[in-house]
Amino acid sequence: MKAATIAYLIAYNVVQWLGWLALAVLISLHLYQHGGDCRGLVDEVALPMLILHSTTILEFVHAILGISKSGPVPAIMQFSGRSFALFVALAISEVRHEVSVTVFMSAWVALECIRYPFYVASLVGSPLYALTWTRYTAFIPLYPLGYGAEVVAFFAAMGKVWESGQLSFDLLGNTINFYYVLCVYTVVSCFGFFQNYTYMFSQRKKALRKRKTT
């Protein structure tokens, strides 16, 4: 890999790492100052969360261009899934104050605060075994925690949009209640979660076995 490409990837991952760390601080401070009350939290972190999340589409581009080891399919699946969850949380005002939204955002933040320093360490040398182990172990509880919270938020949203008709749209002359979109997406996302989760287990096995033999 060319030195310029490595320098770019290091810079990208460092910026992402610092951004997600800052977001972790914002979330922690809000919860501490409000005694664990998550009301108003999404309003505080929505903009930085959207900015950081939006830039992660570059990881799909990196995979397509072959300048990262990540696969394009897992990258775009994660980006799409988080995009939909953020859209639901931000577009439906009654949902953004749900505890489940705080939970899935916190799970994302925790994962990224581990993932990006691992990538930086991998680019500049060989990451410590402890960092490798954490990178490929933290997802085991955090993935289902985050996804489960997303599903809870979707169910909360279903009740709101069914009653209000919010986010309904016209398709071929028919009005489609967004409730049905949520239902279909929730079912389909189960398969996406299973694929990503099992993919990470296969990556974990490879990464930890490689470290044990080096």
Side-chain angles (χ1 to χ4, degrees):
M1 193 181 295
K2 294 181 179 179
T5 302
I6 294 174
Y8 160 73
L9 289 174
I10 290 173
Y12 169 81
N13 286 292
V14 167
V15 170
Q16 286 285 358
W17 182 17
L18 295 175
W20 289 97
L21 276 175
L23 201 53
V25 171
L26 285 176
I27 292 174
S28 299
L29 283 175
H30 177 94
L31 294 175
Y32 174 75
Q33 292 170 352
H34 296 82
D37 190 345
C38 61
R39 284 176 295 182
L41 173 62
V42 174
D43 295 325
E44 284 186 25
V45 304
L47 182 58
M49 174 70 78
L50 283 171
I51 293 172
L52 285 169
H53 169 67
S54 297
T55 57
T56 61
I57 190 63
L58 289 172
E59 293 170 28
F60 172 69
V61 178
H62 297 163
I64 290 292
L65 296 177
I67 64 174
S68 73
K69 296 180 181 179
S70 302
V73 174
I76 197 63
M77 285 179 64
Q78 177 170 286
F79 180 82
S80 301
R82 289 185 176 183
S83 296
F84 188 80
L86 281 175
F87 171 74
V88 170
L90 298 178
I92 304 172
S93 57
E94 298 92 342
V95 174
R96 68 177 62 188
H97 301 302
E98 294 282 336
V99 174
S100 56
V101 175
T102 298
V103 172
F104 75 65
M105 285 187 172
S106 299
W108 296 355
V109 170
L111 284 164
E112 305 303 43
C113 285
I114 296 168
R115 186 165 70 99
Y116 287 111
F118 172 79
Y119 287 162
V120 172
S122 299
L123 287 164
V124 299
S126 181
L128 296 173
Y129 180 80
L131 181 57
T132 302
W133 184 89
T134 303
R135 159 72 176 115
Y136 289 105
T137 303
F139 81 91
I140 296 174
L142 289 176
Y143 266 34
L145 176 65
Y147 176 69
E150 289 174 29
V151 171
V152 172
F154 295 155
F155 275 108
M158 287 177 193
K160 305 299 181 183
V161 298
W162 176 257
E163 297 170 358
S164 66
Q166 188 178 356
L167 302 179
S168 296
F169 58 95
D170 290 329
L171 181 65
L172 301 177
N174 297 308
T175 300
I176 307 298
N177 192 307
F178 195 70
Y179 169 87
Y180 297 109
V181 176
L182 285 166
C183 290
V184 171
Y185 178 83
T186 301
V187 172
V188 172
S189 68
C190 291
F191 298 98
F193 166 76
F194 178 77
Q195 181 173 343
N196 253 3
Y197 200 47
T198 53
Y199 168 79
M200 283 301 298
F201 271 104
S202 67
Q203 293 297 101
R204 181 180 193 271
K205 186 177 181 180
K206 292 177 185 176
L208 297 186
R209 179 191 299 161
K210 181 179 178 181
R211 286 309 305 266
K212 287 179 180 179
T213 57
T214 56

